[in-house]
Amino acid sequence: MRERFQKLALDLLPAGAAVLDFGAGTGIDAKTYAADGHLTFVHEPSAAMCEYLVQYCRDEITRKTMIAVASPLACKVQAVTANFAVLNHFADHTSLFEELSHVVHHGGFVLASMLNPYYLGDARYGWWRANVMNLLRRGHYAIASESRIHRFTPRIVARAAKPHFLLERLIPHGFGWATDPYMFLQFRRT
């Protein structure tokens, strides 16, 4: 899944374009973007994850091919990537996309992965069965847990992105909606 996401991001990025890895975690994706010649900004709100990121990416940070930012607003980039369900940690994406509209150049993009709310592999869990009607009616539900995970239909996230971004691509298609645990959403900056 990580390799598919990275390949998609790298295929979309123009040569040498700057990218913000939003919710960068330990920096695995960011390191790949920097190695491909992209000035890579990283934003990670978790202090513990930042410690790992600084260790794992110390060479890139030293060479200034990777720059840690306390706020996404501290950079202007061609693209924002958010891998491994970063979007699922937000209850509402409207203000997030409004903020990212100040970061992404017009014509740029946001590429995000999110937990697939239709993934039938989760049907074995009571929380999934208890919320399937909420998903169908409202397009959203939250799971009561420490991680504060939210599940969204793609249309809910696309609606929150407007008018700043338009949903341009959704992966998977067809039967993949039932069999893939993650969805990739690509939004274009308008």
Side-chain angles (χ1 to χ4, degrees):
M1 207 282 299
R2 181 182 297 281
E3 288 176 4
R4 284 177 42 212
F5 185 90
Q6 290 174 353
K7 181 178 179 347
L8 183 57
L10 291 172
D11 287 349
L12 291 166
L13 279 167
V19 61
L20 168 64
D21 190 356
F22 182 79
T26 60
I28 294 170
D29 292 336
K31 192 171 192 129
T32 299
Y33 307 144
D36 198 57
H38 300 283
L39 175 58
T40 305
F41 295 90
V42 290
H43 173 68
E44 174 51 56
S46 164
M49 292 297 254
C50 278
E51 288 180 32
Y52 289 111
L53 185 145
V54 168
Q55 291 173 14
Y56 182 67
C57 300
R58 75 176 154 267
D59 293 341
E60 291 80 7
I61 293 169
T62 300
R63 289 192 306 266
K64 297 194 185 318
T65 59
M66 187 182 299
I67 299 169
V69 293
S71 165
L73 296 172
C75 60
K76 191 79 169 162
V77 296
Q78 183 66 26
V80 172
T81 61
N83 200 357
F84 282 104
V86 170
L87 293 183
N88 293 98
H89 291 279
F90 290 82
D92 181 3
H93 300 103
T94 305
S95 60
L96 172 64
F97 280 106
E98 197 279 326
E99 184 173 315
L100 293 178
S101 74
H102 300 288
V103 175
V104 179
H105 295 292
H106 285 277
F109 66 91
V110 171
L111 178 64
S113 70
M114 87 177 177
L115 295 169
N116 181 352
Y118 306 111
Y119 175 55
L120 290 181
D122 288 337
R124 65 182 175 245
Y125 301 111
W127 55 261
W128 190 90
R129 292 187 306 276
N131 285 292
V132 72
M133 291 311 294
N134 291 330
L135 183 69
L136 296 174
R137 284 188 201 125
R138 295 190 296 258
H140 168 260
Y141 66 88
I143 299 170
S145 70
E146 288 180 34
S147 58
R148 299 183 202 110
I149 295 295
H150 301 267
R151 299 283 178 122
F152 302 92
T153 62
R155 71 178 164 81
I156 295 295
V157 181
R159 188 181 319 148
K162 289 181 179 178
H164 309 291
F165 294 89
L166 294 177
L167 182 61
E168 190 170 79
R169 185 186 305 183
L170 175 63
I171 301 169
H173 300 89
F175 193 62
W177 277 34
T179 61
D180 288 3
Y182 288 90
M183 290 184 155
F184 298 162
L185 294 86
Q186 178 194 340
F187 297 92
R188 185 66 59 184
R189 175 74 171 95
T190 55

